[in-house]
Amino acid sequence: MVIRGDGMIVTEADAYVQLAARIKEVALRGGADVVGIADPQRWNEFVPEGYRPEDHLPGVRSVIVVGARGPTSGAWRCPDHRLMEVNGYDFRNDVAVHVVADYIEQNLNHYAMQAPSLPVGGQQPAFSNMLAAVLAGLGTRSLAANIILNPKYGLLYYSSCFTTLALPADPRLAQDVCPHPMCVTMFRKLGKTPCLSACSVEEDGCLDGSIGADGRIESSYYDRERCASRAMNFGINSFQKAMEQIVNSDSAEDRHSMINSDFFTRSCSAVSHFRESVAQCFECMRVCPITRQERKLK
Ligand code: SF4
Ligand code: SF4
């Protein structure tokens, strides 16, 4: 038996479940749309040492994963696709995870920290928030660039919190989110799904794949480098590319015009997260029935 803060006596099992519910409520109030909890042991099956929660927070007992929608439904409809990520909508998941970590340390007397996120480690992050979302029961991998789709919201942005606080883990999703039944029907007829058509490798795109007789993803192909050069027109990659051209130019006049160009200015803005869109292409998600349904408003 445990005596709660409000004086109620509950079983230890109940207290444990209620604690998880309280932390989820804190995350939702902090800006998350979904929250899940995973046991850190689950990583052992999927990633080598160096990429597991225990490598970042010794004694970690729970991983709390939050997902947030990112750009609003209105931003998705904007004809200028560069405006999709303006104003940092895609950082709400980071804010929610900071709120959770602060709450645990200040109120529950346990260590908590934000897991390293994508920018830490370039193309090989020290910790995969995509895998974390799957292991916390928030989504499954899709045919569209391996994006983890949530059954209610489709594309979400994920962040994770490591803590030494023991919490009950959520089960992984029993059913794959992708492919949507509509996509299975389309694949049977045309050999493509909406996302595979939007960015087909046969037409110089980045995606290919197939659906098996059981209606599940059978094979998938994603050209990450090609996608990065098409989808992320401005960011670290474009900054590096422009810098290389600038330092290799023998002409002072050319260097001056390249440094003051719109392209270089946007690349600098993107690198410093100053109100510049990083991702410019969401076509595979714009056509995805799961993501599209959630973004329908009047
Ligand atoms: S983001 Fe754009 S370039 Fe990348 S896979 Fe999707 S449609 Fe293709
Ligand atoms: S359109 Fe969406 S649900 Fe359909 S196959 Fe592509 S990612 Fe999966």
Side-chain angles (χ1 to χ4, degrees):
M1 293 294 179
V2 173
I3 303 175
R4 273 190 348 200
D6 59 6
M8 289 277 290
I9 299 175
V10 293
T11 64
E12 273 189 36
D14 282 348
Y16 191 49
V17 170
Q18 285 168 11
L19 184 58
R22 205 160 99 212
I23 287 171
K24 288 182 179 179
E25 185 57 37
V26 168
L28 294 172
R29 274 195 268 117
D33 288 305
V34 294
V35 196
I37 298 171
D39 181 335
Q41 298 297 323
R42 288 183 186 168
W43 270 259
N44 299 351
E45 190 187 329
F46 299 98
V47 291
E49 271 180 41
Y51 297 87
R52 298 174 185 164
E54 177 70 24
D55 298 314
H56 303 287
L57 180 62
V60 60
R61 295 174 81 187
S62 310
V63 180
I64 303 156
V65 187
V66 308
R69 270 173 287 186
T72 60
S73 302
W76 276 81
R77 290 174 72 83
C78 179
D80 183 350
H81 294 179
R82 291 181 303 124
L83 299 184
M84 274 285 285
E85 290 188 6
V86 158
N87 294 346
Y89 275 125
D90 49 334
F91 302 133
R92 278 191 289 210
N93 39 308
D94 287 337
V95 174
V97 121
H98 292 171
V99 171
V100 168
D102 285 348
Y103 182 84
I104 292 172
E105 292 212 337
Q106 289 164 18
N107 298 283
L108 302 170
N109 208 24
H110 276 79
Y111 294 106
M113 64 173 277
Q114 181 179 14
S117 55
L118 190 61
V120 183
Q123 301 277 44
Q124 259 189 304
F127 180 77
S128 166
N129 280 298
M130 288 170 67
L131 177 62
V134 173
L135 297 183
L138 298 179
T140 63
R141 189 174 70 86
S142 73
L143 275 173
N146 297 324
I147 287 168
I148 305 302
L149 291 181
N150 175 266
K152 176 167 165 50
Y153 295 106
L155 168 69
L156 288 176
Y157 295 74
Y158 291 104
S159 297
S160 308
C161 171
F162 301 145
T163 177
T164 51
L165 181 68
L167 293 166
D170 292 308
R172 289 176 59 180
L173 290 184
Q175 194 161 352
D176 295 341
V177 182
C178 170
H180 186 278
M182 228 179 76
C183 303
V184 178
T185 308
M186 181 174 165
F187 186 83
R188 300 267 181 267
K189 280 190 190 147
L190 307 171
K192 291 265 181 253
T193 64
C195 61
L196 298 181
S197 294
C199 194
S200 167
V201 79
E202 288 153 13
E203 292 161 25
D204 297 328
C206 313
L207 305 177
D208 199 5
S210 62
I211 297 173
D214 57 359
R216 302 184 70 191
I217 297 175
E218 183 180 59
S219 66
S220 69
Y221 171 82
Y222 169 49
D223 190 331
R224 184 175 65 178
E225 277 67 39
R226 181 176 282 181
C227 173
S229 65
R230 296 171 61 165
M232 300 193 177
N233 306 21
F234 305 112
I236 291 167
N237 295 344
S238 72
F239 180 79
Q240 289 167 324
K241 189 173 156 190
M243 278 303 285
E244 198 176 354
Q245 284 168 349
I246 291 164
V247 298
N248 284 331
S249 168
D250 293 332
S251 154
E253 201 182 326
D254 286 354
R255 285 199 300 272
H256 178 82
S257 74
M258 281 193 272
I259 286 170
N260 292 289
S261 68
D262 184 58
F263 179 71
F264 192 61
T265 306
R266 283 185 174 174
S267 297
C268 293
S269 296
V271 168
S272 60
H273 298 301
F274 178 72
R275 292 188 176 222
E276 183 57 82
S277 178
V278 177
Q280 314 270 303
C281 174
F282 282 84
E283 290 321 298
C284 51
M285 283 293 101
R286 253 181 237 282
V287 296
C288 175
I290 294 160
T291 290
R292 201 173 49 192
Q293 186 56 30
E294 176 56 29
R295 301 191 189 283
K296 261 192 185 163
L297 295 174
K298 283 186 202 162

